Amino acid sequence: MMGVLAALAAEVAQIALLLLAAPLWVDVMQAVGAWMGGERAAPFGTRWREIIAGWRRGDAVGFFAWATLVPAMAATAILPLGTVHTLLACLADPLAIGLMLLATRLPLWVRVPSDVVLRRNILARLAVSREWQTTLMLVPLLALTSALLAIGLPGVDGLAGLVRDMRAQPVSALTGALVFAALGILLVVQGRLLSAEDFDTLAPSAEGRERAVLRYGHDVASGCWLLLMADLAMPGLMGNGARLSMTMTGWAVAPLRLAAVAALVAVVRGLAPRAPSRHAAIFAGAAVLLVLAGRLSA
């Protein structure tokens, strides 16, 4: 009974922290991008102030806006933050989480061609087309990442199982491969799915509360993308519920993991790499080779 209560408390704390901190990671990415461009960064917390100001304007919130927020909020309950000792951590499969986060864009992809005003907006239509291209590159990469987990550690139940089992058996090849997989995902998502500016082009007519909800949904989804990449690249920094000291350390370093990935996203975006999908494919190939080498040497 105590174990269930502890897992429930960790679950609630994880959801609350991710929902509260989501706009702050957008601030981190924009601040690092501004510094790289030699510009002055906006004050920390600017994104939250924009969302609150939009909410206070009133107006109705349509179905499409709420539909972008719900899958992102569900992802916050599944992805492990400080510990895998939560109620839903066993569902944290990279492909499932990725599809859930892509579902946050689906209402906007449907809305653009169905809205008479947006149908005439070239930028909105172009943004949808580019995000579809991103999705076509991203889904196979997420599927490969889930397959690497299953091959490198047979019987593992996603990221939670990896964290629980990695200390009991050698999985250095798998953990190295997941770093490459995380870098590949980062290269694909940094240009479109994590850009707050590009997101606004998908809903140029939204105002007031509707724009606030859309922006907040984007920020929560962005935070989950960052957490997914952090969990893949740094699983050893999460607590597995075995010892209290490890769990406390996992919670303490969780903001640092997210901030590091957010800063890396901004750096990569600032460098503007050519053909990021090609580089992502190279990282994916390296991940496959590492896992296969690990299995052959076992």
Side-chain angles (χ1 to χ4, degrees):
M1 185 64 179
M2 291 299 294
V4 174
L5 292 177
L8 178 60
E11 187 79 67
V12 172
Q14 171 178 301
I15 295 172
L17 288 173
L18 288 174
L19 292 180
L20 287 173
L24 301 180
W25 309 126
V26 177
D27 286 339
V28 171
M29 288 186 281
Q30 291 179 334
V32 174
W35 293 333
M36 288 186 66
E39 302 174 359
R40 184 176 180 181
F44 200 59
T46 296
R47 187 69 171 181
W48 256 125
R49 286 190 287 272
E50 292 174 351
I51 292 171
I52 293 172
W55 181 260
R56 286 176 175 172
R57 287 182 56 186
D59 306 326
V61 180
F63 166 78
F64 286 103
W66 290 120
T68 62
L69 181 58
V70 172
M73 294 182 69
T76 64
I78 298 174
L79 274 170
L81 177 64
T83 177
V84 297
H85 189 57
T86 59
L87 297 178
L88 301 178
C90 59
L91 302 177
D93 175 75
L95 177 59
I97 292 294
L99 293 177
M100 191 177 296
L101 296 177
L102 287 172
T104 64
R105 312 296 261 215
L106 185 59
L108 293 173
W109 295 340
V110 173
R111 179 189 181 193
V112 169
S114 64
D115 191 298
V116 175
V117 176
L118 292 180
R119 204 184 310 165
R120 300 171 185 166
N121 190 306
I122 297 176
L123 289 178
R125 290 180 2 227
L126 185 60
V128 171
S129 175
R130 287 176 174 172
E131 290 202 357
W132 268 108
Q133 294 173 14
T134 298
T135 301
L136 291 176
M137 293 185 291
L138 186 58
V139 171
L141 186 54
L142 292 167
L144 175 65
T145 304
S146 294
L148 291 177
L149 272 171
I151 296 171
L153 200 58
V156 69
D157 57 338
L159 293 169
L162 171 67
V163 174
R164 284 194 297 264
D165 296 346
M166 64 186 300
R167 294 180 177 86
Q169 52 185 306
V171 289
S172 56
L174 175 59
T175 53
L178 292 178
V179 171
F180 284 122
L183 290 173
I185 294 172
L186 186 149
L187 283 168
V188 174
V189 301
Q190 55 84 23
R192 296 291 167 196
L193 299 182
L194 296 184
S195 173
E197 295 78 11
D198 286 353
F199 176 79
D200 286 339
T201 63
L202 290 172
S205 61
E207 296 181 354
R209 285 191 172 183
E210 184 170 38
R211 178 168 287 273
V213 172
L214 285 170
R215 284 182 166 179
Y216 183 61
H218 167 267
D219 293 354
V220 174
S222 296
C224 289
W225 280 118
L226 296 176
L227 182 55
L228 174 60
M229 291 183 283
D231 287 349
L232 289 171
M234 297 170 272
L237 296 181
M238 284 186 285
N240 62 1
R243 288 189 295 176
L244 180 61
S245 60
M246 294 173 61
T247 300
M248 296 301 293
T249 300
W251 283 106
V253 302
L256 299 178
R257 291 195 298 130
L258 283 165
V261 177
L264 182 59
V265 167
V267 169
V268 172
R269 187 185 300 160
L271 295 175
R274 295 182 179 180
S277 59
R278 186 182 306 168
H279 292 91
I282 293 173
F283 281 127
V288 171
L289 290 176
L290 266 177
V291 168
L292 291 178
R295 293 298 296 168
L296 291 174
S297 62

